[in-house]
Amino acid sequence: MALRNIRIMGDKVLEKACRPVDSVTPRIRQLVGDMLETMYDAYGVGLAAPQVGILKRIVVIDTDGEHPHILINPEILETSGEQTGYEGCLSLPGKSGIVTRPDYVRVRAFDLDMQPFELEGEGLLARAICHECDHLDGILYTSKVEGELKNNEELQDEENEEEDGDEE
Ligand code: NI
């Protein structure tokens, strides 16, 4: 396995729709392994193939560091509820913005043996599934941000100020 270069916002590859995977070749297995390694190396909770320059419908997600999910040709079947909170993306390092997403998602995808399966997610996992599936259609979370995109350092300062505020 090897680390791949993460494409940064502004790279046109992030704005394109990805093609479905027809069969899992050794190259695809290699890509998935590399995507997981690249995601963990960057302390991300999800990564989509276009973020490493490959226009295929593949995402990897691991929101707790213990349960990697590999989704090939994912299709969201059902969503419910709503959550509003900060979201980030490895293609926009150091930034976050507020995005409203469903609080529950059920997705169908194929595994590395091209067997279909379903995955349900709540909270952060639901958010990650939506965010990564958007990447496959060339959609970045910046198009869904409410208010301004923030630098993570500013956010940290704001949080500290709020904490100080409580004491007044
Ligand atoms: Ni992203």
mmCIF file of all heavy atoms in Angstrom, residues 51 88-90 131-132 135, ligand 1:
data_model
loop_
_atom_site.group_PDB
_atom_site.id
_atom_site.type_symbol
_atom_site.label_atom_id
_atom_site.label_comp_id
_atom_site.label_asym_id
_atom_site.label_seq_id
_atom_site.Cartn_x
_atom_site.Cartn_y
_atom_site.Cartn_z
ATOM 1 N N GLN A 51 -10.793 12.385 -4.588
ATOM 2 C CA GLN A 51 -9.837 13.153 -3.786
ATOM 3 C C GLN A 51 -8.405 12.666 -3.973
ATOM 4 O O GLN A 51 -7.463 13.365 -3.581
ATOM 5 C CB GLN A 51 -10.206 13.082 -2.296
ATOM 6 C CG GLN A 51 -11.491 13.820 -1.977
ATOM 7 C CD GLN A 51 -11.775 13.767 -0.498
ATOM 8 O OE1 GLN A 51 -12.330 12.794 -0.014
ATOM 9 N NE2 GLN A 51 -11.369 14.790 0.225
ATOM 10 N N GLY A 88 -15.730 19.224 7.898
ATOM 11 C CA GLY A 88 -14.481 19.543 7.215
ATOM 12 C C GLY A 88 -14.237 18.546 6.102
ATOM 13 O O GLY A 88 -15.030 17.635 5.887
ATOM 14 N N CYS A 89 -13.136 18.747 5.387
ATOM 15 C CA CYS A 89 -12.825 17.882 4.247
ATOM 16 C C CYS A 89 -11.313 17.883 4.053
ATOM 17 O O CYS A 89 -10.682 18.942 4.156
ATOM 18 C CB CYS A 89 -13.514 18.439 3.003
ATOM 19 S SG CYS A 89 -13.173 17.505 1.504
ATOM 20 N N LEU A 90 -10.750 16.710 3.776
ATOM 21 C CA LEU A 90 -9.299 16.628 3.584
ATOM 22 C C LEU A 90 -8.838 17.431 2.371
ATOM 23 O O LEU A 90 -7.657 17.743 2.254
ATOM 24 C CB LEU A 90 -8.853 15.169 3.456
ATOM 25 C CG LEU A 90 -9.017 14.318 4.725
ATOM 26 C CD1 LEU A 90 -8.615 12.878 4.457
ATOM 27 C CD2 LEU A 90 -8.211 14.890 5.882
ATOM 28 N N HIS A 131 -21.440 13.261 2.943
ATOM 29 C CA HIS A 131 -20.315 14.074 2.463
ATOM 30 C C HIS A 131 -19.520 13.324 1.387
ATOM 31 O O HIS A 131 -19.209 13.880 0.330
ATOM 32 C CB HIS A 131 -19.423 14.427 3.663
ATOM 33 C CG HIS A 131 -18.178 15.171 3.329
ATOM 34 N ND1 HIS A 131 -17.953 16.470 3.725
ATOM 35 C CD2 HIS A 131 -17.061 14.796 2.640
ATOM 36 C CE1 HIS A 131 -16.760 16.863 3.276
ATOM 37 N NE2 HIS A 131 -16.192 15.867 2.626
ATOM 38 N N GLU A 132 -19.225 12.043 1.660
ATOM 39 C CA GLU A 132 -18.402 11.275 0.714
ATOM 40 C C GLU A 132 -19.183 10.960 -0.563
ATOM 41 O O GLU A 132 -18.616 10.993 -1.664
ATOM 42 C CB GLU A 132 -17.873 9.989 1.366
ATOM 43 C CG GLU A 132 -16.984 10.200 2.591
ATOM 44 C CD GLU A 132 -15.861 11.196 2.412
ATOM 45 O OE1 GLU A 132 -15.352 11.352 1.289
ATOM 46 O OE2 GLU A 132 -15.501 11.855 3.412
ATOM 47 N N HIS A 135 -19.053 13.786 -2.911
ATOM 48 C CA HIS A 135 -17.794 13.873 -3.671
ATOM 49 C C HIS A 135 -17.907 13.127 -5.004
ATOM 50 O O HIS A 135 -17.315 13.538 -6.002
ATOM 51 C CB HIS A 135 -16.641 13.235 -2.887
ATOM 52 C CG HIS A 135 -15.926 14.171 -1.961
ATOM 53 N ND1 HIS A 135 -15.248 15.286 -2.394
ATOM 54 C CD2 HIS A 135 -15.756 14.151 -0.617
ATOM 55 C CE1 HIS A 135 -14.704 15.911 -1.354
ATOM 56 N NE2 HIS A 135 -14.996 15.240 -0.263
HETATM 57 NI NI NI B 1 -14.402 15.642 1.668
#
